[in-house]
């Protein structure tokens, strides 16, 4: 096969694959819904792990890990995009997840500074405005038909 024919065959194969995967446009409502639920569940899982730490060092390590997963969830949803019918909540979810990641990481970093150890040990729960913003976006998406629940407070359970 000559180089031009090979290139043409490769381009056609790529076109067939991308057409079968939804192309380059916004995802379908079902694809977006599935991605929201999956990423919400990932975030919920890593936040739950934080509360089950057996030591301060394990707690801080789990906070580091949670910040990474939350950021990846935000990035995945940003890259996927959302159908117009889920705006502005879709963009709000991406932004608030990114901020929650920053907040969790900043809290872990601050708790490592000598003199700030009590930041974690002297409180029953740490509250972030970004947590509330994530839940507002999730509730809005649920109101638009995505079968997703808000993040539950792990300290209460």
């Amino acid at each position: 096969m000559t180089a031009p024919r090979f290139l043409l065959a490769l381009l056609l194969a790529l076109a067939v694959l991308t057409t079968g995967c939804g192309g380059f446009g916004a995802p379908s409502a079902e694809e977006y819904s599935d991605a929201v639920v999956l990423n919400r569940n990932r975030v919920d899982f890593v936040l739950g792990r934080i509360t089950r730490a057996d030591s301060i060092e394990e707690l801080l390590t789990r906070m580091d890990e949670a910040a990474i997963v939350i950021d990846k969830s935000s990035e995945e949803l940003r890259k996927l995009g959302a159908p117009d019918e889920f705006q502005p909540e879709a963009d709000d979810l991406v932004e608030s997840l990114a901020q929650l990641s920053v907040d969790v990481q900043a809290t872990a970093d601050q708790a490592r500074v000598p003199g700030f150890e009590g930041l974690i040990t002297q409180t029953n729960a740490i509250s972030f405005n970004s947590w509330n913003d994530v839940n507002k976006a999730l509730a809005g998406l649920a109101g638009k038909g995505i079968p997703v629940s808000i993040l539950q407070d792990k300290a209460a359970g």
Side-chain angles (χ1 to χ4, degrees):
M1 183 180 281
T2 65
R5 282 189 178 168
F6 176 74
L7 183 58
L8 180 59
L10 185 61
L11 288 174
L12 287 173
L14 181 59
V16 168
L17 285 174
T18 57
T19 301
C21 296
F24 295 105
S28 69
E30 183 179 349
E31 290 169 328
Y32 180 72
S33 176
D34 291 346
V36 168
V37 171
L38 174 69
N39 282 290
R40 179 262 176 224
N41 290 344
R42 285 178 181 160
V43 170
D44 189 63
F45 176 78
V46 296
L47 290 172
R49 284 188 75 238
I50 292 171
T51 64
R52 295 186 304 273
D54 292 326
S55 68
I56 294 296
E57 194 52 45
E58 182 180 12
L59 173 85
L60 297 175
T61 298
R62 287 182 179 196
M63 290 178 77
D64 293 338
E65 294 166 354
I68 291 167
V69 171
I70 296 166
D71 186 59
K72 285 182 180 180
S73 289
S74 171
E75 186 63 16
E76 183 175 310
L77 290 170
R78 184 192 66 74
K79 285 181 181 177
L80 178 64
D84 289 342
E85 66 210 65
F86 295 117
Q87 293 299 343
E89 292 85 357
D91 286 345
D92 293 345
L93 181 59
V94 167
E95 291 174 22
S96 57
L97 283 170
Q99 186 59 51
L100 181 59
S101 171
V102 169
D103 292 345
V104 169
Q105 186 63 64
T107 301
D109 293 345
Q110 185 70 32
R112 288 183 173 100
V113 174
F116 285 91
E117 301 86 355
L119 179 70
I120 300 289
T121 59
Q122 294 174 359
T123 61
N124 291 333
I126 297 173
S127 178
F128 303 115
N129 287 334
S130 53
W131 172 289
N132 296 328
D133 293 341
V134 167
N135 279 337
K136 285 178 192 173
L138 289 170
L141 290 168
K144 290 184 174 185
I146 294 179
V148 66
S149 60
I150 64 171
L151 298 172
Q152 299 300 313
D153 182 358
K154 303 302 179 195

